[in-house]
Amino acid sequence: MSSVLVFLEAKNNEITRISWEAMAAGHALAEGLSLPIDIALIGSAGNPIFETIHGKPPRTVYAIDHKLLHAYTADGYTAAYAQLIEHVKPAYVVLPHTYQARDFAPRLATRFHQVLISDVTGIQAMGGMDSTVWPTFVRQLLQGKLNAEYHQTGKGPCFLSVQAGAFRADEAVKGETVLEPFLPKLESAEIRTQPGEPFRASAQTVDLGSATILVSVGRGIKEQANLPIVEELAKALGAELAASRPICDNGWLPMDRQVGSSGQTVAPKVYLAVGISGAIQHLVGMKGSQCIVAINKDENAPIFEVADYGIVGDLFEIVPALTAAVQKAKA
Ligand SMILES: Cc1cc2nc3c(=O)[nH]c(=O)nc-3n(C[C@H](O)[C@H](O)[C@H](O)COP(=O)(O)OP(=O)(O)OC[C@H]3O[C@@H](n4cnc5c(N)ncnc54)[C@H](O)[C@@H]3O)c2cc1C
């Protein structure tokens, strides 16, 4: 019987959030097609990281273990993943859309005479495997102006990578599963690159992706001198400060605080958009947030189309009142 196989990634011995999102996408696909789901992660089966797998129960968790996989190389990962795919024979292979996956996944797909459908933001039109309805994968084109729909033709597994924030990782639930070591056959001669030190962002770089609450400010703030209004709200909420592109282009906040198609993609528990219109280039970076709250004086601002809670009004009145209310509640 065919299946869905999801490859997870770990960083600093923790499974990354985008991996849980890829797993949620894999579950959506598996449930829609009535297929079993398996997941795989590089590492020894004895590694405690495997105890942290907490999603809806997959059929099997494969621990892909080999000393040549201790450091990432495209050659090593491609060869090892290809061997597992040949062993499991899945119909669908799902990966998180990370720099690493971008590096090796197209090559992995090519090994099976397939292409990688990258940056998937949605899965539609699913039926059972016997039905004529097949899954359609949605990805954005032209800076989010167009949604393109893709489906697989031909035989072989269908490879897709899932964009950060597009699927909600917390849709997973706890359950029992089987942990199985998978020992690929790898020769050092087939690894043609020498891994260097992993890239470390400079200490100043803000990882908005790991923030639980983001207060994000847009051009409605009018001038840099007004930023303390939102900074105080962020401080009161224990939130990170983020921004739309014009704020960063103006140099009012550093570029690493920009959210959107040319900034960071985020999916915090709460995203508070203050004076942001909701241009598509901004929305693609934050619409996966669990709860979106928007403050805007224009009731027709597109941000309200994705907002769970909307406040129509002047941010210069609302934000200080909100800050005072949060401070009072915490006192
Ligand atoms: C190739 C490309 C890439 C891009 N990448 C990004 C990106 O990564 N991220 C990004 O954000 N943008 C990006 N943009 C820009 C994007 O198209 C928008 O121009 C930008 O997001 C608008 O920012 P904004 O919402 O802050 O400003 P505006 O669109 O000017 O909106 C300001 C909002 O504030 C509201 N407002 C004004 N005064 C008040 C007040 N007193 N109280 C309450 N509300 C008020 C207004 O009603 C308005 O809705 C990109 C554009 C291009 C072409």
XYZ file of all heavy atoms in Angstrom, residues 244-313:
513
model
N 6.332 46.331 8.616
C 6.124 46.184 7.174
C 7.349 46.785 6.473
O 8.175 47.468 7.080
C 4.845 46.906 6.745
O 5.018 48.295 6.921
N 7.423 46.549 5.195
C 8.635 46.936 4.455
C 8.952 48.433 4.468
O 10.121 48.813 4.640
C 8.516 46.424 3.021
C 9.694 46.788 2.185
C 9.731 45.960 0.931
N 10.635 46.558 -0.017
C 11.004 45.967 -1.144
N 10.538 44.790 -1.446
N 11.820 46.557 -1.960
N 7.945 49.324 4.298
C 8.310 50.750 4.257
C 9.028 51.208 5.529
O 9.899 52.089 5.469
C 6.952 51.460 4.112
C 6.025 50.437 3.556
C 6.506 49.120 4.059
N 8.666 50.621 6.662
C 9.300 51.010 7.935
C 10.790 50.658 7.894
O 11.639 51.433 8.355
C 8.600 50.263 9.112
C 7.113 50.591 9.146
C 9.275 50.540 10.455
C 6.765 52.052 9.331
N 11.111 49.497 7.331
C 12.517 49.059 7.256
C 13.240 49.786 6.125
O 14.401 50.175 6.276
C 12.592 47.544 7.074
S 11.796 46.656 8.421
N 12.524 49.991 5.003
C 13.145 50.746 3.889
C 13.540 52.153 4.338
O 14.561 52.686 3.920
C 12.166 50.859 2.713
C 12.134 49.585 1.869
O 12.970 48.693 2.121
O 11.273 49.479 0.981
N 12.715 52.730 5.205
C 13.008 54.085 5.707
C 14.139 54.084 6.733
O 14.567 55.142 7.180
C 11.769 54.683 6.391
C 10.744 55.139 5.391
O 11.042 55.287 4.210
N 9.517 55.367 5.856
N 14.560 52.880 7.151
C 15.620 52.795 8.157
C 15.105 53.063 9.565
O 15.884 53.267 10.491
N 13.772 53.038 9.762
C 13.241 53.301 11.106
C 13.441 52.084 12.012
O 13.568 52.212 13.217
C 11.741 53.631 11.037
C 11.443 54.878 10.272
C 12.342 55.767 9.747
C 10.146 55.379 9.939
N 11.685 56.778 9.102
C 10.330 56.577 9.212
C 8.850 54.946 10.184
C 9.269 57.328 8.727
C 7.787 55.689 9.707
C 7.995 56.880 8.983
N 13.416 50.900 11.409
C 13.748 49.668 12.133
C 14.680 48.853 11.234
O 14.629 48.990 10.010
C 12.489 48.847 12.452
C 11.608 49.338 13.597
C 10.323 48.519 13.695
C 12.341 49.294 14.947
N 15.542 47.974 11.833
C 16.458 47.192 10.999
C 15.728 46.228 10.060
O 14.598 45.804 10.357
C 17.310 46.416 12.008
C 16.854 46.796 13.352
C 15.693 47.723 13.259
N 16.386 45.885 8.953
C 15.768 45.028 7.940
C 15.351 43.661 8.503
O 14.430 43.046 7.986
C 16.749 44.783 6.763
C 17.140 46.020 6.010
S 15.749 46.947 5.365
C 15.224 45.922 4.023
N 16.069 43.193 9.542
C 15.737 41.852 10.049
C 14.417 41.842 10.831
O 14.004 40.819 11.350
C 16.886 41.234 10.856
C 17.347 42.096 12.001
O 16.625 43.045 12.342
O 18.423 41.819 12.549
N 13.743 42.991 10.896
C 12.408 43.004 11.536
C 11.291 43.002 10.487
O 10.119 43.052 10.835
C 12.267 44.227 12.436
C 13.315 44.248 13.536
C 12.770 44.665 14.862
N 13.812 44.526 15.869
C 13.700 43.783 16.947
N 12.603 43.119 17.185
N 14.683 43.697 17.820
N 11.674 42.982 9.229
C 10.654 43.048 8.168
C 9.959 41.699 7.967
O 10.599 40.668 7.853
C 11.303 43.464 6.847
C 10.302 43.565 5.710
C 10.970 43.965 4.416
O 11.846 44.819 4.408
N 10.574 43.351 3.324
N 8.630 41.756 7.902
C 7.819 40.562 7.636
C 7.270 40.662 6.222
O 6.799 41.721 5.816
C 6.659 40.473 8.657
C 5.646 39.407 8.259
C 7.208 40.187 10.054
N 7.325 39.566 5.495
C 6.721 39.581 4.161
C 7.526 38.818 3.149
O 8.494 38.134 3.501
N 7.134 38.969 1.892
C 7.744 38.160 0.830
C 9.226 38.436 0.704
O 9.988 37.547 0.342
C 7.043 38.419 -0.498
O 7.151 39.771 -0.842
N 9.655 39.658 0.989
C 11.098 39.921 0.937
C 11.679 40.086 2.341
O 12.785 40.576 2.516
C 11.390 41.157 0.071
O 10.533 42.216 0.398
N 10.918 39.669 3.348
C 11.401 39.680 4.727
C 11.234 38.295 5.332
O 11.338 37.297 4.635
N 10.940 38.242 6.620
C 10.787 36.935 7.282
C 9.352 36.424 7.155
O 8.404 37.210 7.055
C 11.149 37.050 8.763
C 12.607 37.428 8.990
C 13.066 37.114 10.411
O 12.751 36.062 10.974
N 13.813 38.023 10.999
N 9.217 35.101 7.173
C 7.898 34.472 7.239
C 7.689 34.050 8.684
O 8.551 33.410 9.278
C 7.837 33.238 6.315
O 8.087 33.680 4.991
C 6.473 32.568 6.372
N 6.569 34.430 9.253
C 6.349 34.180 10.677
C 4.993 33.496 10.887
O 4.106 33.596 10.046
C 6.389 35.504 11.482
C 7.748 36.170 11.391
C 5.298 36.464 11.012
N 4.871 32.805 12.009
C 3.594 32.169 12.351
C 3.448 32.157 13.873
O 3.348 31.095 14.480
C 3.547 30.755 11.785
N 3.464 33.347 14.502
C 3.379 33.370 15.971
C 1.967 33.017 16.447
O 1.045 32.913 15.641
C 3.698 34.832 16.303
C 3.202 35.581 15.120
C 3.435 34.694 13.930
N 1.832 32.893 17.767
C 0.491 32.652 18.315
C -0.383 33.888 18.096
O -1.557 33.773 17.790
C 0.589 32.330 19.812
C 1.044 30.916 20.050
C 0.678 30.434 21.430
C 0.921 28.938 21.510
N 1.433 28.506 22.792
N 0.220 35.064 18.305
C -0.542 36.305 18.093
C 0.279 37.266 17.226
O 1.458 37.500 17.504
C -0.889 36.994 19.437
C -1.664 38.287 19.192
C -1.663 36.072 20.346
N -0.344 37.795 16.174
C 0.292 38.802 15.317
C -0.584 40.039 15.367
O -1.732 40.025 14.925
C 0.378 38.280 13.877
C 1.205 39.153 12.966
C 2.571 38.956 12.837
C 0.619 40.180 12.233
C 3.339 39.748 11.994
C 1.378 40.979 11.394
C 2.737 40.761 11.280
O 3.504 41.551 10.445
N -0.046 41.095 15.959
C -0.810 42.331 16.113
C -0.315 43.323 15.065
O 0.811 43.814 15.151
C -0.603 42.850 17.543
C -1.335 44.086 17.997
C -2.836 43.970 17.791
C -1.076 44.315 19.476
N -1.135 43.578 14.052
C -0.737 44.465 12.954
C -1.253 45.869 13.232
O -2.463 46.093 13.283
C -1.308 43.940 11.638
N -0.326 46.798 13.393
C -0.695 48.166 13.774
C -0.411 49.113 12.604
O 0.746 49.286 12.208
C 0.127 48.612 15.020
C -0.256 50.029 15.433
C -0.064 47.641 16.168
N -1.465 49.676 12.017
C -1.282 50.629 10.911
C -0.639 49.975 9.700
O 0.190 50.579 9.026
N -1.028 48.728 9.418
C -0.529 47.988 8.242
C -1.724 47.732 7.330
O -2.762 47.234 7.787
C 0.131 46.659 8.673
C 1.424 46.947 9.451
C 0.408 45.753 7.467
C 2.131 45.721 9.982
N -1.580 48.057 6.035
C -2.743 47.950 5.139
C -3.086 46.503 4.797
O -4.248 46.164 4.593
C -2.488 48.736 3.849
O -1.354 48.223 3.185
N -2.053 45.632 4.706
C -2.310 44.234 4.344
C -2.073 43.971 2.868
O -2.805 43.202 2.243
N -1.010 44.591 2.323
C -0.613 44.292 0.936
C -0.224 42.812 0.863
O 0.264 42.256 1.853
C 0.576 45.164 0.535
N -0.422 42.220 -0.317
C -0.183 40.779 -0.459
C 1.243 40.405 -0.054
O 1.475 39.367 0.556
C -0.526 40.295 -1.894
C -0.457 38.774 -1.996
C 0.353 40.927 -2.954
C -1.528 38.066 -1.264
N 2.214 41.285 -0.381
C 3.606 40.962 -0.028
C 3.793 40.893 1.478
O 4.688 40.215 1.966
C 4.576 42.012 -0.592
C 4.655 42.031 -2.097
C 3.626 42.942 -2.724
O 2.784 43.514 -2.031
N 3.682 43.090 -4.031
N 2.961 41.597 2.224
C 3.033 41.490 3.681
C 2.285 40.242 4.150
O 2.782 39.484 4.977
C 2.461 42.748 4.344
C 2.722 42.786 5.819
N 3.923 43.181 6.354
C 1.948 42.401 6.865
C 3.879 43.060 7.671
N 2.691 42.597 8.011
N 1.099 40.035 3.569
C 0.256 38.917 4.015
C 0.949 37.565 3.856
O 0.803 36.694 4.721
C -1.069 38.898 3.242
C -1.991 40.101 3.411
C -3.314 39.842 2.713
C -2.234 40.422 4.879
N 1.708 37.366 2.780
C 2.327 36.049 2.578
C 3.300 35.717 3.708
O 3.565 34.550 3.953
C 3.051 35.900 1.217
C 2.087 35.961 0.068
C 4.169 36.913 1.048
N 3.785 36.748 4.382
C 4.741 36.493 5.461
C 4.109 36.262 6.813
O 4.807 35.853 7.752
N 2.801 36.539 6.977
C 2.227 36.452 8.328
C 0.864 35.783 8.398
O 0.325 35.570 9.474
C 2.162 37.842 8.990
C 1.599 38.970 8.168
S -0.111 38.849 7.658
C -0.960 39.314 9.158
N 0.283 35.408 7.242
C -1.100 34.926 7.303
C -1.216 33.555 7.971
O -2.305 33.129 8.307
C -1.743 34.929 5.919
C -1.162 33.967 4.933
C -1.882 34.107 3.614
C -1.232 33.323 2.511
N -0.916 31.955 2.800
N -0.107 32.897 8.195
C -0.141 31.617 8.918
C -0.170 31.801 10.426
O -0.181 30.806 11.164
N -0.193 33.048 10.915
C -0.232 33.299 12.362
C -1.518 32.715 12.947
O -2.559 32.693 12.284
C -0.192 34.804 12.642
O 0.938 35.376 12.023
N -1.439 32.257 14.205
C -2.616 31.584 14.782
C -3.754 32.549 15.064
O -4.916 32.206 14.908
C -2.207 30.853 16.063
C -1.333 29.659 15.751
C -0.931 28.927 16.996
O -1.658 28.901 17.981
N 0.240 28.340 16.980
N -3.401 33.748 15.508
C -4.437 34.749 15.777
C -3.925 36.098 15.275
O -2.863 36.551 15.704
C -4.750 34.799 17.270
S -5.967 36.057 17.676
N -4.664 36.696 14.373
C -4.238 37.990 13.812
C -5.173 39.076 14.325
O -6.399 38.963 14.209
C -4.250 37.946 12.262
C -3.258 36.882 11.760
C -3.923 39.321 11.674
C -3.335 36.600 10.275
N -4.571 40.089 14.926
C -5.342 41.234 15.420
C -4.870 42.450 14.626
O -3.667 42.687 14.519
C -5.084 41.461 16.935
C -5.943 42.611 17.458
C -5.338 40.191 17.731
N -5.804 43.188 14.044
C -5.405 44.338 13.219
C -6.017 45.614 13.760
O -7.199 45.643 14.130
C -5.836 44.118 11.774
N -5.179 46.648 13.800
C -5.669 47.989 14.164
C -5.440 48.867 12.941
O -4.299 49.033 12.487
C -4.896 48.562 15.374
C -5.008 47.627 16.583
C -5.379 49.971 15.708
C -4.106 48.015 17.752
N -6.526 49.421 12.406
C -6.394 50.254 11.205
C -7.578 51.218 11.165
O -8.701 50.840 11.498
C -6.386 49.372 9.945
C -5.816 50.105 8.748
O -6.320 51.153 8.364
N -4.762 49.553 8.175
N -7.315 52.447 10.748
C -8.421 53.415 10.738
C -9.321 53.254 9.513
O -10.412 53.811 9.468
C -7.889 54.845 10.851
C -7.117 55.331 9.658
C -6.720 56.786 9.872
C -6.024 57.315 8.625
N -5.519 58.658 8.776
N -8.849 52.468 8.520
C -9.643 52.246 7.299
C -10.361 50.898 7.393
O -9.726 49.846 7.346
C -8.689 52.269 6.095
C -9.387 51.911 4.794
O -10.633 51.790 4.799
O -8.678 51.732 3.785
N -11.687 50.941 7.504
C -12.419 49.673 7.694
C -12.332 48.764 6.467
O -12.606 47.575 6.556
C -13.892 49.941 8.038
C -14.655 50.629 6.921
C -16.111 50.867 7.294
O -16.381 51.114 8.477
O -16.953 50.808 6.386
N -11.936 49.310 5.323
C -11.792 48.488 4.110
C -10.361 48.009 3.887
O -10.059 47.439 2.838
C -12.254 49.280 2.882
C -13.739 49.572 2.955
O -14.520 48.683 3.277
N -14.116 50.817 2.695
N -9.477 48.235 4.839
C -8.081 47.793 4.661
C -8.049 46.273 4.501
O -8.717 45.549 5.252
C -7.236 48.226 5.865
N -7.291 45.765 3.515
C -7.263 44.311 3.258
C -6.788 43.475 4.441
O -7.092 42.285 4.505
C -6.287 44.171 2.079
C -6.041 45.530 1.559
C -6.491 46.534 2.561
N -6.077 44.090 5.382
C -5.602 43.325 6.546
C -6.783 42.702 7.303
O -6.682 41.627 7.883
C -4.747 44.224 7.501
C -4.021 43.390 8.557
C -5.569 45.310 8.170
C -2.812 42.670 8.095
N -7.964 43.371 7.242
C -9.126 42.851 7.971
C -9.657 41.554 7.361
O -10.381 40.818 8.013
C -10.235 43.910 8.041
C -9.893 45.045 8.971
C -9.995 46.372 8.542
C -9.476 44.809 10.266
C -9.681 47.430 9.393
C -9.149 45.862 11.132
C -9.254 47.167 10.689
N -9.276 41.285 6.090
C -9.732 40.032 5.460
C -9.066 38.814 6.080
O -9.598 37.711 6.036
C -9.455 40.065 3.948
C -10.411 40.983 3.215
C -9.988 41.250 1.788
O -9.279 40.415 1.201
O -10.358 42.323 1.279
N -7.862 38.999 6.644
C -7.188 37.849 7.275
C -7.231 37.936 8.802
O -6.792 37.018 9.484
C -5.705 37.722 6.810
C -5.614 37.457 5.331
C -4.891 38.942 7.209
N -7.762 39.054 9.329
C -7.721 39.262 10.787
C -8.790 38.439 11.507
O -9.904 38.286 11.021
C -7.900 40.745 11.094
N -8.424 37.889 12.661
C -9.406 37.224 13.519
C -10.151 38.277 14.346
O -11.325 38.129 14.641
C -8.692 36.243 14.463
C -7.970 35.152 13.679
O -8.647 34.266 13.174
O -6.727 35.225 13.543
N -9.424 39.328 14.746
C -10.030 40.438 15.478
C -9.596 41.740 14.808
O -8.417 41.907 14.502
C -9.573 40.460 16.949
C -9.965 39.216 17.705
C -9.075 38.154 17.837
C -11.233 39.100 18.278
C -9.440 37.002 18.515
C -11.599 37.948 18.955
C -10.701 36.901 19.069
O -11.070 35.770 19.734
N -10.528 42.622 14.552
C -10.194 43.894 13.926
C -10.659 45.059 14.778
O -11.758 45.030 15.334
N -9.793 46.054 14.898
C -10.178 47.281 15.608
C -10.071 48.415 14.599
O -8.969 48.723 14.107
C -9.244 47.554 16.811
C -9.197 46.328 17.735
C -9.680 48.808 17.563
C -8.100 46.368 18.774
N -11.218 49.011 14.259
C -11.209 50.130 13.315
C -11.090 51.408 14.137
O -11.973 51.729 14.942
C -12.499 50.160 12.464
C -12.473 51.340 11.495
C -12.664 48.844 11.701
N -9.958 52.100 13.964
C -9.771 53.328 14.727
C -8.362 53.844 14.603
O -7.521 53.257 13.900
